[in-house]
Amino acid sequence: MAKARRSLWIVVVAVGTALALGVGITALVLVIGARAAATPQAVVSTYLADVKRGDVEAATKLEGRQHRAVDVLLTNKAYKNATDRVTGYRILGVRSHGRDATVTAEVTGGGKTTTRDFAVRRDAWTPASMVGVDGWKLAPVTLGTVTVTIGAPGRVDATLAGVPLGWKGATLRLNAFPGTYTLTAGASTDWFTLAGAKATVAGFGADAQLRDAAVLTPKGLDAAKAAAQGWLDGCAASPDAQPAGCSFGLTSGAEAGEVWTNAAWTIQSRPELTVGPWDFGCHLPDQADVSAGGCWPVKTATPGTVTFHADFSFPATGDSGTITSTAPIEADVEGSVSSFGDAGAFFQSVTWGPGSSSEGS
């Protein structure tokens, strides 16, 4: 009987030892697994894996990003509509410096492969730190940007990667992950059309410019030229020898004691005008500083001509007669069209000052 008890104890001790070894091995495996998961490279790998599968919302949570107006493209919906997205990544190395680390990764996306550093910071000490299980947090990542400028009058119904932009004329600079983003403009007007445009963010931290300039329709082109010719008509309607703000005038007016009546300008030939493509660098006085600016420049290809005539009299002597300009005077038109109304285009002339206009006698 004593022998049987001794055997039983041996069995109990053996089972207990096996259980202890099993628990120890399991704990060791868990610690090793936890240490592998809690490394700088693991944090960055998780971040890039989220981006690769299109879950950019999870990725931005990892870096603690607070969404702002410039982050409208940082949604799963917007990134789903992008092309040339992140398709792969590879961790190249880790450099430690104090409680921080820098992880270098190779990322394929935006149509190319680039190398990028990611900053990772060690969390505060916890009891798990005693066995080498530290917490790591990804520092805010510098993303790429898409700068959107739409060259068109007024508000435009446009979307970028399916996201409404609410375009009001001010340039937008939006954060974006690597990829190609497509701008789609709203329905065309009678005056101009917008074809849409694309911009590719080639990698993390890369910038892309997206510009879509409105193109005048035949009706819009005719309206722009008509508005410019209307400005010339307004100048010709002036009875002054030097019409204010106009491109032509006489070198002198009535003499002392002389009276002019029925003074009038006559357009002998109209200038041929050209209307250029939308110029993003054109800023007009009535455009706010925050506006993207722009206009369709209007210039004279072939000058027109005008003549002047008036009846004159000298009340003191009773002399009278008719005067005319000695030769046709050159008439030019230069300015811009930046908007349209129901009736057509609005033309704004350059400032014509002394010495910049054509003068005759």
Side-chain angles (χ1 to χ4, degrees):
M1 193 71 176
K3 184 177 180 180
R5 284 185 182 143
R6 201 163 42 247
S7 299
L8 178 61
W9 278 109
I10 291 172
V11 171
V12 170
V13 170
V15 171
T17 301
L19 288 173
L21 288 172
V23 170
I25 292 171
T26 300
L28 180 61
V29 169
L30 290 175
V31 168
I32 293 174
R35 292 180 64 180
T39 62
Q41 55 266 43
V43 173
V44 174
S45 182
T46 299
Y47 175 81
L48 292 175
D50 286 340
V51 178
K52 179 182 175 181
R53 70 169 182 268
D55 193 356
V56 295
E57 294 176 12
T60 54
K61 286 181 180 178
L62 279 178
E63 56 173 311
R65 182 179 295 271
Q66 299 295 321
H67 279 251
R68 299 169 295 163
V70 295
D71 296 329
V72 294
L73 296 179
L74 306 187
T75 65
N76 292 349
K77 177 182 177 181
Y79 202 53
K80 180 181 179 181
N81 291 327
T83 57
D84 298 324
R85 297 179 300 183
V86 171
T87 57
Y89 65 92
R90 183 165 62 96
I91 304 299
L92 299 180
V94 182
R95 302 188 306 276
S96 297
H97 32 91
R99 295 187 56 81
D100 299 333
T102 299
V103 179
T104 302
E106 183 182 82
V107 181
T108 300
K112 63 186 300 185
T113 298
T114 57
T115 300
R116 169 75 186 184
D117 287 340
F118 296 87
V120 185
R121 298 168 180 167
R122 197 190 304 264
D123 280 342
W125 187 92
T126 65
S129 301
M130 297 179 63
V131 292
V133 181
D134 285 319
W136 291 89
K137 184 174 181 59
L138 185 66
V141 178
T142 300
L143 300 178
T145 59
V146 179
T147 301
V148 183
T149 309
I150 301 177
R155 298 179 180 234
V156 174
D157 180 17
T159 62
L160 183 61
V163 177
L165 291 180
W167 178 262
K168 299 177 183 178
T171 295
L172 301 174
R173 194 167 187 264
L174 308 175
N175 289 323
F177 285 94
T180 296
Y181 299 83
T182 300
L183 175 76
T184 302
S188 302
T189 71
D190 291 339
W191 314 113
F192 60 86
T193 61
L194 282 160
K198 294 183 179 182
T200 297
V201 178
F204 284 93
D207 296 328
Q209 297 287 331
L210 191 155
R211 283 186 167 187
D212 189 15
V215 177
L216 290 173
T217 63
K219 182 177 179 180
L221 180 60
D222 290 343
K225 290 183 177 181
Q229 295 286 3
W231 171 86
L232 181 64
D233 290 335
C235 284
S238 172
D240 297 333
Q242 290 101 12
C246 295
S247 62
F248 56 83
L250 299 180
T251 56
S252 61
E255 298 178 9
E258 182 182 19
V259 177
W260 288 1
T261 57
N262 302 319
W265 290 93
T266 301
I267 298 176
Q268 298 294 331
S269 64
R270 290 191 172 274
E272 293 182 11
L273 305 178
T274 61
V275 181
W278 184 270
D279 178 6
F280 284 96
C282 169
H283 290 270
L284 303 177
D286 59 349
Q287 291 173 333
D289 291 338
V290 296
S291 171
C295 68
W296 287 282
V298 180
K299 294 186 178 181
T300 295
T302 303
T305 56
V306 294
T307 57
F308 179 84
H309 71 274
D311 297 328
F312 75 89
S313 64
F314 286 92
T317 63
D319 292 337
S320 64
T322 301
I323 61 170
T324 61
S325 51
T326 57
I329 302 170
E330 182 178 309
D332 297 312
V333 175
E334 184 174 349
S336 58
V337 169
S338 60
S339 59
F340 287 85
D342 293 338
F346 294 101
F347 173 79
Q348 185 164 347
S349 173
V350 298
T351 301
W352 297 92
S356 62
S357 57
S358 299
E359 295 181 338
S361 58

